[in-house]
Amino acid sequence: QVQLQESGPGLVKPSQTLSLTCTVSGGSISSDDFYWSWVRQPAGKGLEWIGRILPSGRTNYNPSLESRVTISIDTSKNQFSLKLSSVTAADTAVYYCARDRAYFDTSLGYWGQGTLVTVSS
Amino acid sequence: DIVLTQSPGTLSLSPGERATLSCRASQSVSSSFLAWYQQKPGQAPRLLMYGAYSRATGIPDRFSGSGSGTDFTLTISRLEAEDFAMYYCQQYGISPWTFGQGTKVEIK
């Protein structure tokens, strides 16, 4: 059973870069069968898809965040990462990493538990 | 972006009752790319339905999905205690993937 776990600083200062890592266990991240995604959720609000990556490096980003987002992958460590630059208080949210349900279906079938990132000085 | 509007915002029902949740899209969505998620407080979302009609692994058959085009429905035939939660629809056919704002199913 694939498991995902987010990690990274819980507090980031305004204008700095938010950096999170998702560590995958129970399966290899190397197969190009699956996209690996990031989703966020401000407190008390809905879900926002940030973007996704294939192990080959192909990425898709939400245009609303594209100018500030970089998603990368390290197959040797079975991890993928999120960087969000120039953060403001509006970027305060729980950040989730997730994986496609199956290679032919890109609904989000596997999720990490989420990590809260607060943007504050 | 495709905007998904869920209704009602809150559904107050008793255990054993039927729940009908609606998800309306701002433009046509292929039913192959419509999903429903359940989220409980402090937990990650859990995939319930994919491809509009198919239950994810381990999801009981009291959950069913229907609809096409711009109108989709999640039905819970008989609510059980563990079903009281937040529910989100999502389209993943046209980038960026988008979610509805959610429907809260609460105990009456």
Side-chain angles (χ1 to χ4, degrees), chain A residues 61-70 84-86:
Chain A
Y61 297 132
N62 191 323
S64 68
L65 297 167
E66 188 165 14
S67 63
R68 299 193 291 131
V69 170
T70 302
L84 182 65
S85 65
S86 305

Side-chain angles (χ1 to χ4, degrees), chain A residues 20-56:
Chain A
L20 295 175
T21 296
C22 182
T23 300
V24 178
S25 59
S28 173
I29 203 172
S30 301
S31 169
D32 245 26
D33 289 343
F34 307 111
Y35 276 98
W36 302 87
S37 292
W38 288 96
V39 176
R40 71 180 182 178
Q41 184 174 37
K45 296 188 178 180
L47 299 159
E48 180 179 31
W49 178 75
I50 298 170
R52 63 179 187 170
I53 189 167
L54 277 175
S56 61

Side-chain angles (χ1 to χ4, degrees), chain A residues 37 39 41 45-49 52 60-63 96 101 105-109 111-114, chain B residues 1 32-33 35 37 39 42-47 50-51 56 88 90 92 95-97 99-101:
Chain A
S37 292
V39 176
Q41 184 174 37
K45 296 188 178 180
L47 299 159
E48 180 179 31
W49 178 75
R52 63 179 187 170
N60 297 113
Y61 297 132
N62 191 323
Y96 296 100
R101 183 189 71 82
D105 180 75
T106 54
S107 61
L108 300 173
W111 293 71
Q113 66 185 29
Chain B
D1 298 4
S32 298
F33 304 113
Y37 300 85
Q39 187 178 34
Q43 295 185 15
R46 176 175 72 143
L47 179 66
Y50 63 93
Y88 295 96
Q90 180 216 8
Y92 53 102
S95 186
W97 303 169
F99 294 86
Q101 82 281 13

